[in-house]
């Protein structure tokens, strides 16, 4: 859905970018290629300081996180935020952007093996596969102000039960519903029951409890009806704010690992087995081995002593994308 590289050529009516510009772009599922053609309204220049690896995993995650937190969620100081998949691309973006809000309580779910990396950036962490409802109620007796759900399924009902009076619940993914095993009869039954459950939200209940339910899909926003000038302006304004935060050291994309096109199976396994923290990047080179990043703990000291290059631990969130591990220059990227 997204990529980064250099503009090779432009059409006659393109004025927002020029040949040779360093850009990120959004595609309709065809970004796994050395060269792609994109509509001009989904191509954006990137800061000079941003690497192509960072840019390739920046757009979808950080735009989604920004809209969820500040456009739809209207997150304010003193509130409570709860979200899932804290180790994923959007999860890392949510973690970093939420640090812009003072006196915020952050609760999230993640795989147990990621806790050591994430625990210094999130106040309360829970395993997704357990029922965390009662534990969260002890932390927030009045409920949660903003819940961001990329899972669906059982988490939908749990989320509505945990939502505070006048709180907001936003669904931006359905990964738990779509990942059940169709070869297994129990998996089919569970999957169908989760679909049914997600379609049975009571409007009467929302009215009585003064709760809001929203849905957000960035892909549809970017590509429905071919995109519009208003959509480009809206996305462009948000990207500029995010680029400003990046240049100020407030946010920084985390690249978990880098694979070549020939190693795409390994890259997919990294995602499906939930081993990644941050983004998994593909590069179109056949002679480069996977470039696994150093874990967060190994680079924490460098972050603490390099304030000009990295934001502080108090503002950065999970961050292991250090330049010293990159073996080849950005000029090699297509």
């Amino acid at each position: 859905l997204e990529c980064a590289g250099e503009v090779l050529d432009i059409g006659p009516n393109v004025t927002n970018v020029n040949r040779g510009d360093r850009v990120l772009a959004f595609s309709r599922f065809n970004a796994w290629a050395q060269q792609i053609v994109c509509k001009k309204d989904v191509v954006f220049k990137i800061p000079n300081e941003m690497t192509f690896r960072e840019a390739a995993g920046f757009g979808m995650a950080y735009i989604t996180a920004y809209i969820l937190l500040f456009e739809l969620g209207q997150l304010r100081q003193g509130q409570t935020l709860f979200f899932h998949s804290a180790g994923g691309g959007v999860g890392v973006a949510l973690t970093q952007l939420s640090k812009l809000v003072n006196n915020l309580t952050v609760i999230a779910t993640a795989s147990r093996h990621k806790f050591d990396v994430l625990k210094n950036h999130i106040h309360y962490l829970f395993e997704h596969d357990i029922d965390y409802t009662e534990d969260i109620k002890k932390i927030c007796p009045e409920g949660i102000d903003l819940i961001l759900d990329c899972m669906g399924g059982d988490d939908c009902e749990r989320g509505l039960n945990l939502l505070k009076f006048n709180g907001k619940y936003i669904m931006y993914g359905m990964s738990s519903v779509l990942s059940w095993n169709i070869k297994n009869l129990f998996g089919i039954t569970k999957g169908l029951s989760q679909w049914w459950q997600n379609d049975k939200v009571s409007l009467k209940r929302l009215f009585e409890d003064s709760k809001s339910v929203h849905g957000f899909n960035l892909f549809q926003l970017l590509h429905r009806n071919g995109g519009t000038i208003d959509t480009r302006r809206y996305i462009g304004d948000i990207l500029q704010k995010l680029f400003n935060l990046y240049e100020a050291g407030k946010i920084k994309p985390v690249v978990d690992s880098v694979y070549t096109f020939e190693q795409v199976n390994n890259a997919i396994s990294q995602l499906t087995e939930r081993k990644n923290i941050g983004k998994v990047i593909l590069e179109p080179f056949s002679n480069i081995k996977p470039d696994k990043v150093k874990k967060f703990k190994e680079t924490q000291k460098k972050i603490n002593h390099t304030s000009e290059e990295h934001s502080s631990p108090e503002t950065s969130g999970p961050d292991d994308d250090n330049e010293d591990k990159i073996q080849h220059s950005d000029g090699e990227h297509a």
Side-chain angles (χ1 to χ4, degrees):
L1 302 181
E2 59 183 334
C3 61
E6 181 178 312
V7 177
L8 298 178
D9 205 353
I10 58 175
N13 298 318
V14 176
T15 58
N16 57 305
V17 294
N18 294 308
R19 295 176 183 86
D21 283 347
R22 302 172 70 251
V23 299
L24 64 78
F26 302 103
S27 71
R28 296 180 64 90
F29 304 104
N30 64 334
W32 293 0
Q34 292 187 16
Q35 299 178 19
I36 69 169
V37 178
C38 293
K39 292 183 178 295
K40 62 180 181 180
D41 290 334
V42 292
V43 180
F44 301 88
K45 296 179 185 178
I46 62 175
N48 293 331
E49 301 86 352
M50 181 175 283
T51 69
F52 283 122
R53 288 181 175 182
E54 291 176 322
F58 187 84
M60 295 295 291
Y62 281 86
I63 292 173
T64 296
Y66 187 94
I67 291 175
L68 292 175
L69 292 175
F70 305 120
E71 296 286 310
L72 295 176
Q74 295 291 305
L75 193 64
R76 301 187 300 276
Q77 63 179 2
Q79 291 189 328
T80 304
L81 168 68
F82 175 51
F83 60 90
H84 298 289
S85 298
V90 176
V92 169
L94 288 170
T95 301
Q96 293 181 359
L97 287 170
S98 67
K99 291 175 182 280
L100 302 174
V101 182
N102 294 327
N103 192 28
L104 184 71
T105 300
V106 181
I107 307 171
T109 66
S111 301
R112 170 60 68 176
H113 63 272
K114 300 181 182 181
F115 277 26
D116 286 344
V117 178
L118 301 173
K119 64 183 180 182
N120 292 328
H121 305 283
I122 296 171
H123 297 111
Y124 301 97
L125 273 171
F126 294 95
E127 288 185 82
H128 174 260
D129 294 333
I130 66 171
D131 189 348
Y132 43 76
T133 305
E134 293 305 317
D135 289 328
I136 292 180
K137 285 182 177 179
K138 294 177 182 178
I139 299 168
C140 310
E142 296 183 1
I144 297 172
D145 294 285
L146 177 61
I147 296 178
L148 307 176
D149 184 5
C150 61
M151 305 299 291
D154 296 336
D155 293 291
C156 180
E157 184 66 22
R158 292 174 184 171
L160 290 174
N161 287 333
L162 289 169
L163 203 60
K164 194 176 188 177
F165 179 85
N166 216 32
K168 294 181 180 179
Y169 171 99
I170 307 176
M171 177 172 283
Y172 67 100
M174 299 282 285
S175 60
S176 68
V177 176
L178 297 175
S179 62
W180 47 274
N181 184 0
I182 60 173
K183 296 180 180 180
N184 181 285
L185 182 59
F186 173 76
I188 294 175
T189 303
K190 181 179 179 181
L192 291 175
S193 67
Q194 288 178 336
W195 276 113
W196 173 256
Q197 176 182 322
N198 286 159
D199 285 339
K200 303 301 285 186
V201 176
S202 169
L203 294 179
K204 178 176 179 292
R205 175 183 172 187
L206 297 179
F207 166 71
E208 291 174 344
D209 296 340
S210 190
K211 296 178 179 180
S212 302
V213 174
H214 302 257
F216 178 69
N217 187 322
L218 180 57
F219 178 82
Q220 294 292 343
L221 177 63
L222 288 168
H223 298 291
R224 178 166 290 193
N225 299 325
T228 65
I229 294 177
D230 289 339
T231 297
R232 175 183 167 74
R233 185 178 298 115
Y234 176 65
I235 296 298
D237 288 346
I238 291 174
L239 262 179
Q240 189 55 57
K241 294 175 184 177
L242 292 168
F243 288 152
N244 291 341
L245 290 170
Y246 171 85
E247 292 174 323
K250 298 293 184 181
I251 60 175
K252 183 175 175 62
V254 173
V255 177
D256 174 86
S257 47
V258 178
Y259 293 91
T260 68
F261 282 5
E262 291 182 345
Q263 297 154 338
V264 65
N265 288 339
N266 296 332
I268 292 174
S269 295
Q270 186 78 355
L271 293 171
T272 57
E273 295 173 14
R274 298 183 178 181
K275 295 179 179 179
N276 63 299
I277 295 179
K279 301 291 285 190
V280 176
I281 303 298
L282 290 177
E283 292 182 347
F285 304 107
S286 60
N287 60 343
I288 299 173
K289 296 180 180 179
D291 195 13
K292 181 67 180 177
V293 299
K294 299 174 183 177
K295 288 303 179 184
F296 178 71
K297 284 186 174 181
E298 297 175 6
T299 60
Q300 185 66 36
K301 291 183 180 179
K302 290 185 180 180
I303 294 174
N304 287 338
H305 297 289
T306 320
S307 59
E308 290 183 359
E309 295 180 6
H310 302 282
S311 55
S312 70
E314 287 75 27
T315 59
S316 64
D319 183 356
D320 6 310
D321 187 23
N322 291 309
E323 292 301 313
D324 59 351
K325 71 179 181 300
I326 297 177
Q327 302 300 317
H328 56 283
S329 69
D330 287 327
E332 295 175 332
H333 292 70

